[in-house]
């Protein structure tokens, strides 16, 4: 099956480009303030961005001292816009390189082994059929002690075949119709276009993927709005019903963890 | 508020005593085969059982080579039965001691510091108001590298104020009505008696409680039935809709985990 590249569908891309996180970048992503705390000091570091989209994080990383940032994305549409915005930044962004690749079949050269300080990914991993392969690759290219920081759509959010907040006709209260949590695999959802293909994985799958591949879990959050967020965005009250984003940080283990 | 001790309520205890896990012990607990894999070799080890109930695990631990096992429970009813069953085992179980205590205010002597190899707890932590205090105590009494293994009712299971599997009138499909996931705290539920008080915590709360208190996460599972389980118990198909049990293993960190 050819890799899904919905971001190069014209209808999808046009609509996606109007989302707050497309227009305002990291500042338009409600989970970013929390995810940011998982990152180490980037000064002088070599950074990998898996699913870089418009390159917002690549530029943020350089603005925060990263020496080099390599951004990878499957979408020509997004890379084209990323390159334009990076070029407009001039010499300041000369440390950024972009490459087009499908993360399900990404290859990185032998010379990259043990070379990256940080691997970052925002809302990309839940599209991948072969996430274990990518996690093994990330482990190979990170330095010992290097850090993987990523977010995905939360397993509670990806589980139902037809996800929806429903209203209880008796009480008027809202609830999340949770189904098929333990049935991992493809979920096909309408999102601007008829079908966007995502992969549902359980929390167990994400956590053990890291533990089984020599990572130490260091950061974990199911994003929810703060009291201040709720004052500014009362409509985010629905985010208290079920989590939408799972945020994880993990370091490449360079010792043996005793398990017995 | 006095500690809840529903197990010493006569009606509750009479009903609880008929559950498969009360009658058949560990073999009556569907999640036990998985939880057991989180335990290290117990040969010669010093073991703590937090919420020991009828003492099934205490005796299992001795049968698997543990040198000493200290079982703690709030319920006189349960400890009485545990002591009878242990005494019936004769000299074989002389390594077992029991003590009555509320896990929310448990004290252990200074001489216990850095002395336990394993701390175990089955379906007790979700009753506790002050779980952070207990986790800090467990960290103190475990040896460096010692292991905490526990299960709790899963956060998806404890979240709703009125938990229930519902049937969609349109499709006939079953779903879990998830509500208030991000609102932690007391959940009062009818279970044999009018109100059993449990504490809802998110997955984030459980994981960070460990990370923040110097544990390294080593094992993680949201129990679900295997294909074989489903053949033997077709009624467990509901367990594929939402997880009921969260199983965790973690070791007391005796090094610094690099976080940046």
């Amino acid at each position: 099956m050819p890799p899904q590249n919905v971001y190069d569908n014209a209808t999808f891309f046009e609509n996606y480009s109007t989302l707050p996180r497309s227009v305002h970048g990291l500042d338009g992503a409600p989970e970013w303030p929390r995810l940011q705390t998982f990152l180490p000091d980037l000064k002088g570091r070599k950074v990998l961005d898996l699913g870089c989209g418009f390159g917002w994080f690549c530029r943020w990383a350089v603005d925060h001292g990263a020496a080099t940032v390599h951004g990878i994305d499957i979408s020509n549409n997004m890379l084209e816009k990323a390159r334009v915005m990076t070029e407009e930044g001039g010499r300041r962004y000369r440390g950024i390189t972009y490459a087009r690749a499908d993360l399900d079949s990404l290859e990185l050269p032998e010379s990259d082994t043990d070379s990256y300080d940080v691997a970052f990914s925002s809302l990309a991993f839940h599209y991948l059929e072969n996430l274990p392969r990518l996690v093994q690759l990330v482990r190979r290219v990170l330095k010992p002690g290097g850090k993987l920081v990523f977010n995905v759509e939360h397993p509670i959010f990806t589980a139902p075949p037809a996800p929806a907040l429903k209203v209880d006709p008796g009480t008027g209260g809202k609830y999340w119709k949770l189904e098929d949590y333990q049935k991992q695999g493809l979920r096909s959802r309408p999102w601007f276009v008829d079908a966007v293909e995502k992969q549902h994985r359980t929390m167990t799958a994400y956590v053990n993927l890291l533990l089984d591949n020599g990572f130490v879990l260091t950061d974990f959050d199911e994003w929810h709005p703060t009291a201040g967020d709720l004052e500014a965005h009362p409509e985010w009250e629905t985010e208290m019903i079920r989590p939408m984003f799972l945020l994880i940080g993990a370091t490449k283990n360079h010792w043996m963890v005793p398990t017995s």
Side-chain angles (χ1 to χ4, degrees), chain A:
Chain A
M1 179 163 93
Q4 174 188 241
N5 180 7
V6 72
Y7 291 89
D8 282 348
N9 172 303
T11 305
F12 180 91
F13 188 72
E14 189 181 320
N15 282 280
Y16 181 86
S17 298
T18 66
L19 290 180
R21 66 178 68 224
S22 302
V23 177
H24 304 294
L26 301 170
D27 293 334
E31 78 284 6
W32 169 243
R34 184 79 181 116
L35 190 62
Q36 190 180 335
T37 67
F38 294 4
L39 289 165
D41 181 357
L42 295 183
K43 197 156 183 204
R45 304 296 180 100
K46 181 176 175 183
V47 177
L48 183 63
D49 186 358
L50 299 161
C52 63
F54 295 137
W56 290 106
F57 176 76
C58 294
R59 296 192 299 281
W60 184 91
V62 168
D63 285 338
H64 287 75
T68 65
V69 186
H70 190 45
I72 294 166
D73 208 280
I74 196 173
S75 162
N76 279 321
N77 275 344
M78 301 193 90
L79 287 174
E80 193 177 317
K81 194 166 167 194
R83 287 192 175 107
V84 168
M85 289 199 284
T86 293
E87 280 158 19
E88 285 168 356
R91 273 181 58 79
R92 171 183 172 200
Y93 291 135
R94 68 186 181 284
I96 300 177
T97 53
Y98 293 109
R100 182 172 185 233
D102 172 12
L103 295 177
D104 262 332
S105 55
L106 174 67
E107 306 271 359
L108 291 170
E110 272 310 308
S111 56
D112 277 357
T113 300
D114 293 336
S115 76
Y116 281 96
D117 299 285
V118 174
F120 176 84
S121 182
S122 181
L123 300 182
F125 286 179
H126 57 269
Y127 290 118
L128 305 187
E129 285 187 80
N130 201 349
L131 185 55
R133 180 189 174 281
L134 184 66
V135 169
Q136 285 155 22
L137 178 68
V138 168
R139 167 152 177 107
R140 176 169 76 77
V141 300
L142 280 177
K143 286 179 188 166
K147 193 160 187 183
L148 169 61
V149 172
F150 69 95
N151 64 1
V152 286
E153 288 186 0
H154 193 288
I156 288 174
F157 191 76
T158 57
L165 280 169
K166 302 275 188 181
V167 177
D168 184 317
T171 65
K174 283 185 186 159
Y175 64 91
W176 181 248
K177 194 179 173 199
L178 182 65
E179 296 168 275
D180 292 352
Y181 181 84
Q182 301 285 16
K183 294 179 182 171
Q184 302 191 87
L186 181 66
R187 299 291 190 274
S188 191
R189 311 269 181 88
W191 188 35
F192 304 136
V193 293
D194 285 348
V196 175
E197 295 186 344
K198 299 179 182 181
Q199 297 291 331
H200 168 59
R201 291 180 174 86
T202 62
M203 193 80 73
T204 299
Y206 283 114
V207 170
N208 285 317
L209 192 53
L210 296 170
L211 301 186
D212 293 347
N213 284 294
F215 284 89
V216 177
L217 188 73
T218 54
D219 309 86
F220 187 95
D221 193 58
E222 300 159 300
W223 181 81
H224 66 82
T226 62
D229 288 334
L230 287 173
E231 271 181 45
H233 299 274
E235 74 280 12
W236 288 358
E237 182 62 36
T238 54
E239 300 309 303
M240 300 303 285
I241 297 171
R242 53 91 191 96
M244 186 185 286
F245 301 118
L246 173 64
L247 288 57
I248 287 183
T251 54
K252 175 172 169 173
N253 178 2
H254 55 293
W255 54 72
M256 294 299 296
V257 175
T259 56
S260 65

